[in-house]
Amino acid sequence: MAPPLRPMKHIDRKDLYTNLETRIQYLHSFLDFSSRDIEALISGSKYIKALIPALVNIVYHKLLQYDITARAFHTRSTSYEGPVDENLSDDSPIILHRKTFLRAYLNKLCSDPSTMEFWYYLDKVGMMHVGRGREHPLHIEYVHIGACLSFIQDTLTEALLSHPRLRMEKKVALVKALGKVIWIQNDLFAKWWYVSNPLSNKPSMLTLMIPQYLHLIDVRDGDEFADEAEAPEIEQEGYLFGKRMLEDLEEEADDLGSASACPFSGLAKGVSVVSIESGEGEKSTAIQADGKIAVTQDSA
């Protein structure tokens, strides 16, 4: 006899678009994000943190390879089509400044995802990239956000799976848990992008011309609830409800302009190396080269 089906859960569609806690609970349930994932993230956070300095440099080096993403560091928008500053490099002051925020953000991903504060901050990160919640708006089109998140996930996955000291079951658990967090972050970017770009839900000429696509005119992604969604507050970057969320920003800012501000600033020129020591005293080395991170075990 077939096992009995679990009772179907009711999900209130309006709540998905007006209540962040409901949306997060639904995503957790759908993705089977559980205490096992939280345990994997917390126990594996030291391995992720060890990779962050190299990862940050790889990400910004990638962003500077394309004019459409490089422009945004000066214009604060990927839709601007003017000239690109040809002097912009991995060591430019604006890039070093942005690296401090990405380092702090990635470290925040290693904190406790069992609290709603964690997810409220990820939601705010999504909001601040669509021109909301900032005194000086930032507009990054979603195609670049999705590509960057995928690039971060791919780079971390390869580095963690190749770690010489982690057992395979721990590697798999950590990669799965991290992937779920990144995809929830991706959803929170998409959520704000659709709210801030109502024209994205307008019918295209294709739907108007071809009868079988007419039903798409009525497809909306929660925009009928936009007026009831939480209104964003303008706050300083790195803060949530007046509380500093990125604890290491002040320390990082003090180092800007010094030789130690970016220990991997030689990325474009070759290879960067950093020694890693885990909480158990195990030593390994993260080597950054050619857009990848390799972790090697140090000999005793």
Side-chain angles (χ1 to χ4, degrees), residues 75-139:
T75 66
R76 306 183 68 79
S77 174
T78 54
S79 62
Y80 174 76
E81 296 186 1
V84 180
D85 181 0
E86 295 182 0
N87 296 318
L88 202 60
S89 71
D90 295 273
D91 298 326
S92 296
I94 184 64
I95 300 301
L96 294 178
H97 178 62
R98 296 315 313 167
K99 284 180 178 181
T100 66
F101 282 94
L102 181 56
R103 276 196 292 270
Y105 165 76
L106 291 171
N107 274 289
K108 184 64 181 176
L109 292 186
C110 297
S111 61
D112 186 0
S114 67
T115 67
M116 267 307 297
E117 182 183 76
F118 178 93
W119 303 104
Y120 268 111
Y121 180 70
L122 265 59
D123 184 56
K124 184 168 184 178
V125 170
M127 175 192 70
M128 294 178 75
H129 283 75
V130 296
R132 296 189 174 205
R134 302 175 73 128
E135 186 176 351
H136 304 289
L138 174 68
H139 296 270

Side-chain angles (χ1 to χ4, degrees), residues 142 183 186 196 200 218 277 287:
Y142 181 68
W183 273 91
N186 181 59
S196 300
S200 65
D218 296 323
E277 184 168 353
I287 303 173

